[in-house]
């Protein structure tokens, strides 16, 4: 159970990203390599979300320039 809950949570969050939505990641209460892996996963989600937002902002800015 210490392994299955975090893996289930990450699987659901990955599917959400595949479906085009960014999940709200949350803390998991586990230790060791799985906790480190999940922390990296959460950081990746935030970085990708921020990069996508910057791209959308640039597209909006370029669109407004063309009008």
């Amino acid at each position: 159970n210490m392994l299955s809950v975090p893996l289930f949570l990450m699987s659901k969050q990955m599917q959400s990203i595949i479906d085009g939505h960014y999940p709200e990641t949350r803390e998991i209460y586990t230790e060791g390599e799985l906790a480190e892996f999940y922390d990296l996963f959460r950081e990746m989600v935030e970085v990708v979300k921020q990069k996508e937002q910057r791209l959308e902002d640039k597209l909006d800015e370029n669109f407004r320039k063309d009008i």
Side-chain angles (χ1 to χ4, degrees):
N1 198 11
M2 289 292 289
L3 186 61
S4 63
V5 171
L7 290 177
F8 174 78
L9 182 61
M10 284 189 289
S11 295
K12 293 299 244 180
Q13 292 171 341
M14 286 180 202
Q15 186 61 54
S16 181
I17 292 169
I18 291 168
D19 293 341
H21 309 287
Y22 288 104
E24 291 297 322
T25 57
R26 61 181 194 192
E27 293 284 330
I28 58 170
Y29 301 102
T30 190
E31 297 177 358
E33 292 176 352
L34 183 59
E36 292 174 21
F37 179 76
Y38 186 70
D39 287 343
L40 283 173
F41 172 77
R42 289 177 61 207
E43 184 177 347
M44 179 203 64
V45 169
E46 290 305 313
V47 167
V48 170
K49 189 186 317 185
Q50 290 170 3
K51 286 182 178 185
E52 184 174 337
Q53 185 60 54
R54 284 196 301 266
L55 284 172
E56 288 177 4
D57 292 346
K58 284 183 180 183
L59 283 172
D60 287 344
E61 182 180 311
N62 287 338
F63 180 73
R64 283 192 297 271
K65 284 181 185 177
D66 291 340
I67 292 180

